Amino acid sequence: MTTRPRTFAATLGLLALTAVWGSTFVLIKDVVERMRVVDFLAVRFAIAALAMLVLFARPVWRLPRGQVGRALLLGVVYGIAQLLQTWGLKLIAPSVSGFVTGMYVVFTPILAWLLLRERIAGVVWLAVTMATAGLAVLSLRGVSVDPGVWLTLASAALYALHIVGLGRWSREQDAFGMSAVQVVAIAIICLLATAPRGPALPPDGSAWLAVLYMALVAGAGAMLVQTWAQAHLPPARAAIVMTTEPVFAAGFAVALGVDALSWRMLAGGALVLGAMYLVELAPRRSVALEAEALHHEV
């Protein structure tokens, strides 16, 4: 597969995982009303880690020592981000949490420039601005800057750091092993957060089904897709594609009858999708037009 098809496949992969993440909002809201947030996260990622180790024991064993260390570090960063985001969510409205978490789209190119000296094209900054505006239209009904906002903003910065680190260190041949090690690290962080009494199990069958879906599809599967996809995408582009999560969340909410279609959903979704078009489809069209012009000149 050539570079361009791989890039396109990576973009589709990120879109698929953000659709999965978007489908989980209703499930999470229902489950965390019946069990502690830290218990939910600990059980979810413990199951995901066990599944990954069973499926990918050989890739983990073959992973170079340096990559094991990097994957552990990335998993710790992601696990702390999950905890900060969830603790922040307890103090602020879910809509505000969604917007502030989505600010990783701003932090990612800044961190890529500061840490990697990666040049960020003007069209990417325009896309970042559009995506941020789209998130605001989708999510905000007024903001009060309280401790919950600061906790969530810290989680967004850590998510951005994870995206940048994954973009720097992920290699296609290491995707299985690195994904498994990251999920193990996340599970350890979340299990430590349940100390001293340890995690409580889901209270009933429907909660177990939700946790299993979150663990295997939205946890292990999503981490695998993200790790593979970011071997083929720059961090800033990956972050912008991933801002489609609240668009999918709104779509699922409407489809399931939880929410009504509104102008905010349409306008905010259009801005986010427009941002993705700028960084993913517009450059391809430009290259195609240049090639066509060159062909006509010849």
Side-chain angles (χ1 to χ4, degrees):
M1 190 183 289
T2 61
T3 300
R4 188 170 297 174
R6 281 184 185 274
T7 302
F8 185 66
T11 300
L12 289 180
L14 285 183
L15 278 174
L17 80 87
T18 54
V20 168
W21 285 341
S23 73
T24 63
F25 279 74
V26 175
L27 290 174
I28 292 174
K29 183 176 180 180
D30 176 64
V31 173
V32 297
E33 286 176 353
R34 290 178 288 147
M35 63 185 297
R36 288 194 312 163
V37 167
V38 289
D39 293 335
F40 164 71
L41 291 174
V43 174
R44 169 191 172 185
F45 283 107
I47 293 172
L50 287 173
M52 293 288 272
L53 288 176
V54 169
L55 291 173
F56 305 123
R58 184 170 295 178
V60 169
W61 182 255
R62 293 179 176 175
L63 204 61
R65 184 174 298 179
Q67 287 292 79
V68 171
R70 294 175 185 124
L72 286 171
L73 179 59
L74 290 171
V76 168
V77 168
Y78 193 96
I80 295 173
Q82 283 271 307
L83 291 169
L84 290 176
Q85 180 190 5
T86 308
W87 285 329
L89 181 58
K90 294 178 68 174
L91 303 175
I92 57 178
S95 59
V96 177
S97 175
F99 168 73
V100 179
T101 302
M103 291 302 291
Y104 63 73
V105 74
V106 177
F107 290 130
T108 298
I110 293 173
L111 289 175
W113 176 70
L114 288 174
L115 299 177
L116 307 180
R117 294 301 176 190
E118 187 174 289
R119 180 180 172 275
I120 308 298
V123 69
V124 173
W125 288 116
L126 175 60
V128 165
T129 303
M130 286 179 62
T132 304
L135 290 169
V137 172
L138 271 170
S139 306
L140 292 186
R141 308 291 192 278
V143 179
S144 59
V145 181
D146 56 26
V149 171
W150 291 116
L151 285 170
T152 310
L153 197 62
S155 78
L158 289 176
Y159 283 133
L161 185 61
H162 179 262
I163 291 169
V164 171
L166 203 53
R168 175 71 170 180
W169 292 329
S170 180
R171 297 184 299 186
E172 185 175 13
Q173 63 269 29
D174 296 335
F176 292 123
M178 283 196 73
S179 301
V181 174
Q182 284 180 87
V183 174
V184 168
I186 297 168
I188 291 170
I189 292 296
C190 293
L191 285 167
L192 289 174
T194 66
R197 71 185 194 186
L201 297 178
D204 51 54
S206 63
W208 267 111
L209 286 175
V211 168
L212 287 173
Y213 174 75
M214 291 292 300
L216 301 178
V217 180
M223 182 59 71
L224 176 59
V225 171
Q226 185 184 358
T227 301
W228 176 84
Q230 284 208 240
H232 305 287
L233 289 175
R237 181 184 294 183
I240 291 168
V241 173
M242 289 161 66
T243 56
T244 55
E245 179 184 354
V247 179
F248 284 115
F252 279 109
V254 171
L256 295 172
V258 177
D259 209 344
L261 186 65
S262 67
W263 72 267
R264 284 181 173 273
M265 291 181 187
L266 294 173
L271 283 168
V272 171
L273 294 176
M276 196 184 73
Y277 172 82
L278 280 179
V279 298
E280 180 58 31
L281 300 179
R284 297 175 184 280
R285 185 180 179 190
S286 175
V287 170
L289 289 174
E290 288 177 10
E292 184 178 349
L294 182 63
H295 174 75
H296 285 313
E297 287 177 8
V298 175

